[in-house]
Amino acid sequence: MNNHRHFLIHKPYGYLSQFIYELKRTKKLLGELHDFPPGTMAIGRLDEDSEGLLILTTDGMMSEVVRSKKVEKEYYAQVDGIITQEAVEQLQNGVLIGFKGTKYKTKKCQAKLIDDPNFPLRSQKIRDERHGPTSWVSITLTEGKFRQVRKMTSAVCFPTLRLVRVRIGNFHLDNLQSGEVMEIESVLGV
């Protein structure tokens, strides 16, 4: 009998994708959002300043399965300026980013302009309109290098101001509110 538990969570801005933080500075951790069972871990991560969908599990093997299946992860990035179709095509074809001290060309991916998804305002304001227009792009990856989406949009001269992961495989953020947790039966459906 498998007694493992699995959760979807809408990670809020300003939280680390972990339960323990060893360094001196105080950080907000996922365990503050819900009473998770012992041994719960995040499958993959989102940076402290990124938001959106995370899958948590008590089954370490599931973490490996999900990561090894090259599961699609879709992100909505609010970028500085009105992103051009040319920049979107560059994202689709792969761009050079810095990774571990060297240049890395990202794999081909899906990218498209999208309308403002009208997410609720975040705890820390992005900036106001006096600094110029912003636009949104959807980027779907099967890889996940450190801060990859942010590095990709910067590589095409449209730095990311806000980043929200909206999908992991077949799991969608949907109406899950920031900080909300939902228990699921299995993560095999990714």
Side-chain angles (χ1 to χ4, degrees):
M1 177 73 191
N2 181 344
N3 291 324
H4 285 294
R5 294 174 67 191
H6 317 284
F7 305 87
L8 297 180
I9 182 171
H10 182 157
K11 187 191 94 59
Y13 174 86
Y15 279 76
L16 295 181
S17 297
Q18 57 200 64
F19 290 87
I20 299 168
Y21 186 70
E22 304 283 342
L23 302 176
K24 297 278 184 258
R25 294 182 307 171
T26 305
K27 295 285 186 177
K28 295 181 190 169
L29 305 174
L30 296 178
E32 298 170 34
L33 299 171
H34 185 79
D35 186 16
F36 293 105
T40 302
M41 67 193 86
I43 299 178
R45 297 215 164 166
L46 283 172
D47 301 327
E48 184 176 4
D49 51 359
S50 299
E51 311 159 66
L53 191 62
L54 263 179
I55 299 175
L56 306 178
T57 183
T58 58
D59 186 351
M61 293 302 289
M62 274 300 111
S63 180
E64 291 304 313
V65 168
V66 170
R67 290 208 314 264
S68 67
K69 281 171 67 178
K70 300 295 181 207
V71 172
E72 285 187 345
K73 292 157 208 81
E74 184 176 6
Y75 300 84
Y76 287 175
Q78 182 181 19
V79 297
D80 188 1
I82 304 300
I83 194 165
T84 62
Q85 190 56 44
E86 179 187 13
V88 170
E89 287 167 14
Q90 288 177 305
L91 293 171
Q92 291 168 345
N93 292 318
V95 294
L96 284 176
I97 61 172
F99 179 67
K100 293 188 174 175
T102 62
K103 288 291 185 191
Y104 172 80
K105 183 166 183 184
T106 59
K107 293 182 176 154
K108 286 184 182 267
C109 70
Q110 298 170 43
K112 63 185 180 205
L113 293 164
I114 57 171
D115 292 330
D116 184 339
N118 292 315
F119 291 120
L121 291 177
R122 160 178 112 174
S123 57
Q124 182 176 339
K125 196 168 193 265
I126 309 293
R127 66 170 201 201
D128 63 41
E129 290 68 37
R130 291 176 302 185
H131 293 98
T134 64
S135 55
W136 286 85
V137 61
S138 163
I139 300 175
T140 303
L141 307 173
T142 54
E143 56 183 343
K145 304 286 185 228
F146 180 69
R147 297 180 77 82
Q148 181 168 338
V149 173
R150 291 175 187 282
K151 290 178 180 179
M152 288 173 69
T153 66
S154 285
V156 296
C157 302
F158 292 92
T160 295
L161 302 172
R162 185 176 187 185
L163 186 61
V164 182
R165 182 160 56 200
V166 295
R167 182 172 66 84
I168 301 171
N170 295 321
F171 293 108
H172 294 263
L173 191 59
D174 291 333
N175 296 322
L176 209 57
Q177 298 302 304
S178 183
E180 193 175 350
V181 176
M182 180 173 81
E183 191 156 2
I184 55 174
E185 289 293 316
S186 166
V187 294
L188 286 176
V190 295

